[in-house]
Amino acid sequence: MNKRTNGIIIAIDGPSGAGKSTVARLLADRLGYRQIDTGAMYRAAALLIAQAGIDPGDLSTLESFCQKLDISLVHVDGRQAVIANGSDVTDRIRTPEMSLLTSRISTLKPVRDALLKSQRMMGVGGGVVLEGRDIGTVVFPDAELKFYLSASAEERGRRRCEELSEKGEQVTLVDTIADVVKRDLQDSGRDLAPLRQAEDAIAIDSSHLTVEDVLDKMEHLYKEIIKATGTAL
Ligand code: DC
């Protein structure tokens, strides 16, 4: 039985700084799909946990806190805003400190269980581009189209450094590359839902590709799937 009433599910996984967010947003725009940035959801959860002063080692307190998490992604004036327990946290979740904290709290079962449930509810009807680390392996192993987007650590660090500098953050390239490598290790080395390429994912190395090149490749494969499955565009 086809549960997808709005289109197919497109999963984009890969390490931090590979360009997933930009590509997911623009691909969703091209296809008239909804972008779901699951990393932003983990970041919002990390912020709320830190603000509440919860010790991540206290799993039973963490579990009851996570069951009450209310995190949503809304689109305001063409930009995605992250609303966590009623507050707009879009900008506050993007600092280098929040990136590392998020990578740590995302190893914890109560956090992953809570977010997995809401991500499945948000995406099950299709017509979505979900980006993250475990979309094609855990959240939607049955996604119709899966990509694994990567780039060299140097290139990802360079892009992240540029992005943070534009926002006025005081960062250096060396530190940013070190952060990227540290997060890669945390994200791929954890026990629960580690970052890895799904067997049926299409790998794209974006190190030497423009965003347009990546999008064209993805859109082409999307059209082939739609043609093959007869799903309405
Ligand atoms: O994509 P991002 O850099 O905003 O993600 C922040 C962190 O959240 C990342 O280090 C790992 C975690 N994450 C995860 O564990 N699973 C996901 N599906 C998405 C992100």
Side-chain angles (χ1 to χ4, degrees):
M1 194 186 62
N2 191 1
K3 323 175 274 290
R4 320 266 197 253
T5 46
N6 308 321
I8 63 167
I9 292 182
I10 302 176
I12 305 180
D13 289 305
S16 54
K20 297 188 300 292
S21 293
T22 306
V23 163
R25 176 170 49 80
L26 295 172
L27 183 67
D29 283 352
R30 277 195 189 191
L31 306 181
Y33 272 27
R34 181 164 175 234
Q35 176 203 3
I36 301 178
D37 177 354
T38 63
M41 298 173 76
Y42 280 96
R43 286 170 181 271
L47 181 72
L48 293 177
I49 291 164
Q51 280 176 344
I54 293 170
D55 168 8
D58 178 356
L59 291 184
S60 69
T61 306
L62 188 66
E63 188 173 349
S64 50
F65 184 78
C66 288
Q67 279 165 359
K68 287 180 252 136
L69 281 179
D70 180 14
I71 297 170
S72 54
L73 304 170
V74 295
H75 289 265
V76 191
D77 301 332
R79 117 188 211 280
Q80 182 173 256
V82 187
I83 311 295
N85 288 359
S87 308
D88 185 336
V89 298
T90 315
D91 297 323
R92 267 179 292 160
I93 59 174
R94 297 284 165 195
T95 63
E97 295 74 33
M98 282 308 303
S99 297
L100 285 178
L101 178 68
T102 306
S103 183
R104 280 212 303 279
I105 68 98
S106 63
T107 61
L108 303 169
K109 189 167 176 0
V111 178
R112 299 210 74 85
D113 284 350
L115 294 187
L116 174 67
K117 203 167 145 199
S118 50
Q119 287 160 15
R120 283 188 175 153
M121 270 164 41
M122 289 160 91
V124 72
V128 284
V129 180
L130 289 116
E131 46 151 321
R133 303 293 187 287
D134 61 340
I135 308 302
T137 51
V138 175
V139 185
F140 285 110
D142 59 344
E144 287 78 9
L145 186 56
K146 300 180 187 178
F147 296 104
Y148 188 82
L149 189 63
S150 64
S152 67
E154 290 71 24
E155 178 59 20
R156 290 185 287 121
R158 196 191 59 72
R159 291 177 192 166
R160 192 43 55 102
C161 189
E162 216 171 84
E163 205 178 287
L164 291 168
S165 302
E166 273 167 20
K167 284 190 198 153
E169 296 269 347
Q170 301 291 319
V171 286
T172 66
L173 181 58
V174 174
D175 287 348
T176 315
I177 293 175
D179 277 0
V180 159
V181 171
K182 187 169 173 190
R183 279 219 281 154
D184 286 354
L185 288 173
Q186 275 179 15
D187 296 343
S188 55
R190 67 185 180 215
D191 292 336
L192 288 174
L195 166 68
R196 65 177 173 81
Q197 184 180 331
E199 272 174 23
D200 50 352
I202 297 148
I204 301 179
D205 182 338
S206 73
S207 304
H208 306 291
L209 296 176
T210 65
V211 170
E212 285 300 305
D213 289 338
V214 176
L215 286 169
D216 289 347
K217 207 172 167 122
M218 288 180 166
E219 190 179 1
H220 173 75
L221 288 160
Y222 165 80
K223 286 185 174 153
E224 286 201 335
I225 295 256
I226 295 294
K227 208 158 77 188
T229 59
T231 311
L233 275 165

